[in-house]
Amino acid sequence: MPLVPTYIETLAPYQAGRSPTEVCREFGLDRAVKLASNENPFGPSPRALTAISNSLSSLAGYPSGGAELRAVLAGQFGVRTANVIAGSGSEGIMSNIIRTFLCDGDEVLTVDVTFIGFRVLAQSRGVSYRTVPLRNWRLDLPQLAEGVNERTKIVYLANPNNPTGAFFTRAEFDAFYARIPERVLIILDEAYYEYAKDAPDFPDSMHYRYDNVITLRTFSKAYGLAGARIGYGFAHEALISNLLKVKLPFEPSSLAEAAGIAALGDAGFLAQTLEANATGLELVTRELRAMGVEVLPSHANFVMTLWPSAAAADGIVRNLMKAGIIVRPLSAFGVPTGVRITIGTPHDNQLLILALSRIVREQEYAVCKQ
Ligand SMILES: Cc1ncc(COP(=O)(O)O)c(C=O)c1O
């Protein structure tokens, strides 16, 4: 009997984007910007940083398990604390969902181009992970509904989706929901909610408080707290109470919880982040398209670009890295011709546009000369 089950032995682990330090070392650069992991380029709210400093003095004590943050979120979103969970990032909560709801023989269903972290978690549980293709780079909800069978326990939907940046609409979700049996748990992963929430037909999942729907959100993106590991979820209290049994009792950390509460209280910082992102997104999309690059329309803090071949996409990633700009190749997402680029500060965006216009010209030149 092997020590490690086959499904772990064969698991392709999640690979995080490369760090600026690594890239500087490899290419002998003084500075590199990371536009690879959809982080907030402005960092966290100063209020979150102050809250972290203030809570340092209580580090000797165990945290509350997220009780205070849950109460604040309940107040802010008009639900009861019993409907809220807080955890170590939304991925921490996803991991609890996997452990709480899946049994041997169950199946998880999603689309083939989406957040890799969820696939890794589901496969580490040894259950079947089934996907349906995207349609025109959007989630094909009718096909997903069609794909549900008697073994399906969880349907995972990232909205907006990563790496495409597209969202499905209210009408699409309504039609989908009507076809899903109640015994199937629908995860609505809204990691990029803040960026999309004001789009007219974005289906804010707070309007879908059905018994079998769980919303996941995070402080890692618009709130600039990816390093703190803090996220939250909303669901029916029966789901939350079972998740709480499984969750590590002292997750999230007290520093992360304090940061999250303070970040929620800084509406001004969030508004500035969203405004800068909207301007940067518009600029990057327009400038890259003007260079002839295929850029998918996005409602998040990143864009997915498509290149004529996998070799061209690799060349773009590598040449940008040499210029001190780290972006995300999408072969691990199943799109070898794709490259995802996070929207940065106005300065980062200008650097990207300049570097990319030079690289596109040179890369085309190299292709012509062959
Ligand atoms: C769709 C999606 N969900 C979840 C996460 C993970 O978020 P967290 O840092 O809260 O675990 C990411 C991060 O890239 C993401 O893109």
Side-chain angles (χ1 to χ4, degrees), residues 326-350:
I326 310 168
V327 294
R328 183 77 152 156
L330 295 179
S331 39
F333 285 77
V335 190
T337 57
V339 176
R340 193 190 65 199
I341 305 173
T342 303
I343 303 304
T345 62
H347 181 254
D348 298 341
N349 298 335
Q350 286 302 343

Side-chain angles (χ1 to χ4, degrees), residues 65-66 85-87 96 99 242-252:
I85 187 167
N96 292 323
R99 291 200 296 139
N242 282 296
L243 280 168
L244 290 175
K245 293 180 204 164
V246 168
K247 182 180 86 65
L248 296 179
F250 300 117
E251 167 195 5

Side-chain angles (χ1 to χ4, degrees), residues 14 37-38 88-92 94 115 156 158 160 162 189 191-192 217-221 226 229-231 340:
Y14 180 80
S37 298
N38 305 339
S88 297
S90 51
E91 233 186 319
M94 267 177 225
F115 178 55
Y156 169 80
N162 172 13
D189 178 348
Y192 303 97
R217 292 191 186 160
T218 183
F219 288 97
S220 297
K221 307 297 176 188
R229 309 308 302 132
I230 180 83
R340 193 190 65 199

Side-chain angles (χ1 to χ4, degrees), residues 113 137 163 294 296 303-314 316-317 327-341:
V113 180
W137 299 110
E294 186 174 355
L296 299 187
V303 286
M304 176 165 150
T305 59
L306 284 162
W307 301 86
S309 65
D314 288 347
I316 292 295
V317 171
V327 294
R328 183 77 152 156
L330 295 179
S331 39
F333 285 77
V335 190
T337 57
V339 176
R340 193 190 65 199
I341 305 173

Side-chain angles (χ1 to χ4, degrees), residues 127-179:
V127 298
S128 146
Y129 177 85
R130 207 156 52 81
T131 60
V132 304
L134 296 181
R135 192 185 180 87
N136 298 326
W137 299 110
R138 297 182 72 248
L139 266 69
D140 186 349
L141 294 189
Q143 212 190 325
L144 271 163
E146 199 68 44
V148 170
N149 63 33
E150 63 292 342
R151 286 175 58 203
T152 310
K153 176 65 87 57
I154 292 179
V155 180
Y156 169 80
L157 309 174
N159 204 39
N161 192 26
N162 172 13
T164 57
F167 67 77
F168 52 80
T169 63
R170 249 177 252 176
E172 285 172 314
F173 184 74
D174 287 340
F176 168 79
Y177 186 78
R179 294 177 62 188

Side-chain angles (χ1 to χ4, degrees), residues 265-289:
D266 196 347
F269 176 84
L270 180 64
Q272 278 167 17
T273 287
L274 299 184
E275 198 183 315
N277 183 71
T279 308
L281 180 63
E282 202 268 324
L283 176 82
V284 169
T285 305
R286 179 164 33 87
E287 293 290 325
L288 267 56
R289 284 183 180 160

